[in-house]
Amino acid sequence: MRKTVMCLLMLVGMAGASGAEVAPLVSGQKVQVKKLARDIANVRASIVTTGPSTFQAPQNVTKNQKRFQQFTEALNRYPQLDDPLVQAARAEYFKLQEALKVEFTRANEQIKELGDVQARMSLLKQNFEQYPVPKIMKAPFDKKAVAEWLEKASAARTVGEHNLKEANAIAPLAYLPNNPGTPDSGALFDANDLKAMQQNAIMMQKQVQENYQTMSSTTINKLQQKMDQVKSRWQDDPMGDKKWVFLKADQVAQAEELFSSSKALAQSSIYLEQALKQDHSVASKALDLINQAQQKYQDNAKIALNASKLPEAQSEDYQRFEFAEDILEKPRYEFGEYGPIILTTKDIIERESKSSNIDIDKVDVASNGDIKMSGTETTWTYRWQEFKFVTPLKAPDGKWYIWWITAKKYSSGSSITPLGEWVSGEATQGNPILPSNF
C-alpha cells in the first residue's frame, strides 16, 4: 500500500504543465473538477482514524488503492496547474495521500502489536473448550472429589482471567467485521465472536464462585434438615413402652441411615470449606452432634435390649403349652429353635366368620346398554378356636427375637382349610431379647 501511494504521487507530479501550454478550463470542465475535489475530500473524510483501522483488511487497502488510482487518472486529465480549481483539487488529492499514508501506518502498527488475531482468538476458543467451569457437585462427596473439582475450578477461573485480558487487549485494536457463519463452519472470527468471548470469560469467573456458593449453601441446607431429624427422633425412654424404637430392625436401619447420611453431608461441607479456606464451623459442630446422637442411640439400644423381657403369663394351661409346642415344631412353619412359651390369653376363644365368592359364568348386555351378570355364589362358614402365645425364636444371625403367635384350630372352613389341628395364624416378630431375660 505504501509503495502504491508513492507511485500515484509520481504520476500526478509528472502530469503537470504551465498555463501557457494548455487551454483554460471550460465551464463543463470546471464543474467536473469541483466535483472531483469534493469526491476526494469525501473519501478523506470517510477514513476512520480512531479505533481498529479498517486498513487491517487487505480488501479495504485494495479498495482505497483503486479509488486513489481513479483520482490520479482523473487529475491527469486536467494539466491546468495554474487554475485555482485544479489547484484546489490537487490540494485535496495530496491531503488524501497524506491521510492514507498515516492511516496505513497506523494499521501496520496495530497489526504489528496484534500479531495473528485469528490465531489468538482460535487459542481463546480452545481454552474455553478445554477448561470449562466444572458442574455443581451434589453432596455427599469425598475429599478427592472436592480436590478434583477445585483443580478444575481453578483452571477455569485462570482461563477466564487470561482470556478476558487477551480479549480486552484485542478489542480496541483488531478490525473484525461481522460476517455470516461461525468459526466452526470455517468463517473468520468477527467482532461478535470477540464480544461473546469477553462475556464468556467474565461469566466463567462469576460461575466458578456461584457454583461454589451453591454447593456450599445446598449442602448446609440439606445438613440442617437432617439435623432437625437427628435432634427430634428416637428421644423415647429406652425403659418405657416405646423401647422398640431402639430394638426393631427397621428402626435400627432408619437410625443408622440417618446418622450415616448426616455425617456424610457434614463431612462433605467440611471438605469443601477447608479446600477453599472457608469457615467450616457449622458443619464441624453438626458432625459432633451427630456422633453424640448416634452414640446415645446405641447406648439406649443396649438399655432397651437389657429391658426387653417376655410378657407376664395369663395362663398356665399345660394342654395349651403342648398345642403351642406342636405348632412351633411343625416343619412347614420353619420357626426353628424356640425358648419358653408364655400364654398371653386366659382361655381358648371360640370364633366364627363367613366368606363368599361369586363365579360369573354368563354376561348379558341389553339393547339399552345395561349389563346383567349371572353365576354361582359359594359361601364358607369358618369356625375355629384360638389362643395366643409368645416365645423367643432364634434368628439365623444367632439373635433371639420375641414372636407373638396366634394358634387356631378350625372345625369348618373352605376346601383348603386345615381342619381339626392346631395351626399357626398370624405370627409377628417383636423386639430382640437376651437369653438371660427369658
Side-chain angles (χ1 to χ4, degrees):
M1 176 65 183
R2 191 172 300 165
K3 290 183 178 179
T4 301
V5 171
M6 291 178 65
C7 288
L8 292 175
L9 292 178
M10 289 177 64
L11 288 173
V12 172
M14 294 172 64
S18 65
E21 298 175 356
V22 295
L25 295 175
V26 297
S27 61
Q29 289 177 317
K30 291 180 179 181
V31 171
Q32 293 172 348
V33 172
K34 288 180 180 179
K35 183 178 183 304
L36 177 60
R38 287 197 303 272
D39 290 344
I40 296 173
N42 288 338
V43 169
R44 179 169 60 85
S46 68
I47 299 174
V48 179
T49 58
T50 59
S53 175
T54 60
F55 281 20
Q56 293 178 30
Q59 64 270 25
N60 289 335
V61 173
T62 300
K63 181 180 72 173
N64 280 277
Q65 176 184 353
K66 181 178 179 180
R67 190 67 171 135
F68 195 83
Q69 177 68 30
Q70 291 171 346
F71 290 146
T72 301
E73 293 172 355
L75 277 176
N76 282 336
R77 291 196 293 270
Y78 303 103
Q80 296 85 352
L81 299 183
D82 293 335
D83 190 286
L85 293 179
V86 173
Q87 292 176 349
R90 288 173 64 84
E92 289 295 342
Y93 176 87
F94 288 117
K95 289 179 184 178
L96 174 60
Q97 179 266 339
E98 181 61 24
L100 291 173
K101 180 180 178 181
V102 169
E103 186 59 22
F104 182 73
T105 300
R106 192 172 78 92
N108 280 341
E109 290 173 350
Q110 289 180 340
I111 291 172
K112 182 178 180 181
E113 183 175 348
L114 286 167
D116 189 336
V117 174
Q118 292 296 319
R120 288 176 71 179
M121 293 184 67
S122 179
L123 182 58
L124 297 184
K125 182 174 181 293
Q126 291 176 25
N127 289 341
F128 284 126
E129 294 171 350
Q130 188 173 351
Y131 301 99
V133 176
K135 294 181 180 179
I136 293 172
M137 292 191 299
K138 293 183 179 180
F141 36 76
D142 58 21
K143 190 173 184 179
K144 181 181 178 183
V146 171
E148 291 175 350
W149 187 91
L150 182 58
E151 182 179 358
K152 293 178 181 178
S154 297
R157 184 193 293 275
T158 300
V159 165
E161 293 172 351
H162 169 77
N163 279 13
L164 181 60
K165 183 178 179 180
E166 271 285 279
N168 287 346
I170 292 172
L173 298 176
Y175 177 65
L176 298 168
N178 292 326
N179 56 72
T182 64
D184 287 335
S185 64
L188 294 175
F189 290 98
D190 60 21
N192 286 336
D193 295 318
L194 182 61
K195 184 177 181 180
M197 287 181 178
Q198 289 174 304
Q199 294 172 344
N200 192 18
I202 295 172
M203 183 57 65
M204 282 182 75
Q205 300 173 67
K206 182 180 179 182
Q207 193 174 1
V208 167
Q209 182 64 21
E210 288 179 348
N211 284 6
Y212 152 69
Q213 291 174 341
T214 298
M215 287 192 296
S216 177
S217 60
T218 300
T219 303
I220 286 295
N221 288 340
K222 288 182 178 179
L223 177 59
Q224 289 173 341
Q225 292 174 9
K226 291 285 187 181
M227 290 303 298
D228 290 340
Q229 298 181 58
V230 169
K231 294 175 182 178
S232 62
R233 297 191 66 181
W234 305 296
Q235 303 301 310
D236 304 278
D237 180 5
M239 300 285 288
D241 293 337
K242 295 189 69 176
K243 65 172 68 69
W244 56 269
V245 300
F246 304 105
L247 298 174
K248 289 191 69 175
D250 62 333
Q251 291 294 310
V252 173
Q254 289 179 34
E256 289 305 315
E257 192 283 327
L258 177 60
F259 296 138
S260 176
S261 59
S262 299
K263 286 195 288 187
L265 286 173
Q267 196 62 69
S268 297
S269 180
I270 292 171
Y271 288 145
L272 180 63
E273 305 306 340
Q274 283 181 333
L276 290 159
K277 297 180 173 56
Q278 301 296 315
D279 178 28
H280 55 84
S281 59
V282 172
S284 295
K285 290 177 182 177
L287 184 58
D288 290 339
L289 290 174
I290 296 166
N291 286 328
Q292 293 171 19
Q294 185 177 31
Q295 186 60 55
K296 181 181 178 182
Y297 182 88
Q298 293 170 349
D299 293 341
N300 283 341
K302 293 177 182 178
I303 296 171
L305 182 59
N306 286 325
S308 179
K309 300 183 185 300
L310 295 171
E312 293 185 5
Q314 299 298 308
S315 175
E316 296 293 336
D317 184 351
Y318 180 75
Q319 190 176 35
R320 273 189 282 163
F321 282 136
E322 290 185 339
F323 296 155
E325 287 179 350
D326 183 53
I327 291 172
L328 291 171
E329 293 176 2
K330 289 183 183 296
R332 67 175 179 264
Y333 295 132
E334 298 181 345
F335 282 125
E337 185 178 352
Y338 60 90
I341 297 170
I342 306 297
L343 300 176
T344 58
T345 51
K346 292 182 179 181
D347 302 297
I348 294 177
I349 302 171
E350 300 284 343
R351 295 194 181 280
E352 180 179 319
S353 70
K354 291 186 178 182
S355 176
S356 298
N357 182 55
I358 300 177
D359 292 327
I360 305 299
D361 54 24
K362 187 177 182 181
V363 178
D364 293 324
V365 181
S367 58
N368 61 0
D370 292 342
I371 300 175
K372 182 178 180 181
M373 295 181 291
S374 60
T376 303
E377 180 179 9
T378 303
T379 301
W380 294 279
T381 299
Y382 295 89
R383 294 186 182 90
W384 72 94
Q385 295 177 312
E386 74 174 35
F387 68 92
K388 297 182 179 180
F389 67 93
V390 166
T391 187
L393 295 178
K394 192 173 186 179
D397 61 4
K399 296 180 180 179
W400 290 83
Y401 292 86
I402 299 172
W403 280 77
W404 303 75
I405 302 172
T406 300
K408 294 183 177 184
K409 185 172 74 170
Y410 288 89
S411 58
S412 68
S414 69
S415 58
I416 61 172
T417 304
L419 303 178
E421 63 171 320
W422 285 98
V423 297
S424 173
E426 183 179 6
T428 304
Q429 179 179 300
N431 294 334
I433 185 172
L434 295 173
S436 59
N437 287 346
F438 287 177

